[in-house]
Amino acid sequence: MSASPTPQTPPAAAVPDTEWLRLDRQICFSLHAASRAFNGVYRVVLKDLGLTYPQYLVMLVLWEHGDLPVKKLGEHLRLDSGTLSPLLKRLEAAGLVTRERSAHDERSVRVGLTGQGAALRERALEVPRRIAAATGFELAEIGELRERLDRLTGALDAAAPAEARRNR
């Protein structure tokens, strides 16, 4: 028994304008659906580490860059301090990070890894392989997709200020 052929999507120029308002033609929805699916896989994979997906992202930045001010950590993660603070409190309560106010500027808080947080990195080494296995993609394909998404993000970041200026 052979699998049915995958229907071909017509070229963009051949698609009537009204078809572009279909949900299945929206890149934003495809990205949203993929993000939700990834979160589900990460939830299972990260359970062994005792981390949520947002906490894992914080740990990735700290493993890569070491101690950072909360503001810099937020820049890496594209999160504001109001979103980041509860994450950091939970990671601190779990014994994975420390938070210290700067002696020079009391408004600035530095986040660093504890020994337990640094040691967790070894156990996390399996996460990317498990995620790759769940996608069915080769590592090179995942790299290419990530690069394209990074380009997309850069283009959207560049377009947002121009759009904001036009809407004033």
Side-chain angles (χ1 to χ4, degrees):
M1 182 173 190
S2 64
S4 60
T6 304
Q8 293 295 318
T9 302
V15 177
D17 286 346
T18 56
E19 287 293 301
W20 287 108
L21 293 179
R22 290 175 41 138
L23 182 63
D24 63 355
R25 293 220 179 255
Q26 306 304 308
I27 188 171
C28 57
F29 184 73
S30 293
L31 289 168
H32 172 73
S35 179
R36 289 182 55 87
F38 260 116
N39 286 342
V41 172
Y42 270 102
R43 189 176 305 111
V44 171
V45 171
L46 295 174
K47 186 176 183 182
D48 295 341
L49 299 179
L51 295 174
T52 63
Y53 177 69
Q55 291 170 341
Y56 174 67
L57 296 179
V58 168
M59 297 302 289
L60 286 172
V61 173
L62 295 174
W63 289 328
E64 182 178 349
H65 297 284
D67 293 8
L68 289 172
V70 170
K71 183 176 180 177
K72 193 68 164 170
L73 183 60
E75 288 171 8
H76 283 288
L77 296 170
R78 302 173 68 105
L79 295 174
D80 61 42
S81 63
T83 303
L84 201 49
S85 290
L87 285 171
L88 296 173
K89 284 181 183 177
R90 285 192 293 276
L91 287 169
E92 187 176 38
L96 300 174
V97 303
T98 60
R99 295 182 301 154
E100 287 186 32
R101 290 218 173 267
S102 168
H104 305 297
D105 181 359
E106 287 191 16
R107 296 171 297 172
S108 179
V109 175
R110 285 193 76 77
V111 180
L113 293 167
T114 64
Q116 183 182 346
L120 187 61
R121 185 177 186 273
E122 285 302 311
R123 291 182 43 218
L125 290 173
E126 72 181 60
V127 172
R129 283 188 283 274
R130 289 180 66 187
I131 296 300
T135 67
F137 286 21
E138 298 294 325
L139 288 176
E141 290 176 296
I142 291 172
E144 291 167 6
L145 177 58
R146 187 196 43 76
E147 288 172 8
R148 293 186 86 172
L149 289 171
D150 288 348
R151 278 192 7 238
L152 174 62
T153 301
L156 293 172
D157 284 346
E163 182 68 23
R165 283 192 303 273
R166 281 196 301 271
N167 289 331
R168 283 187 189 159

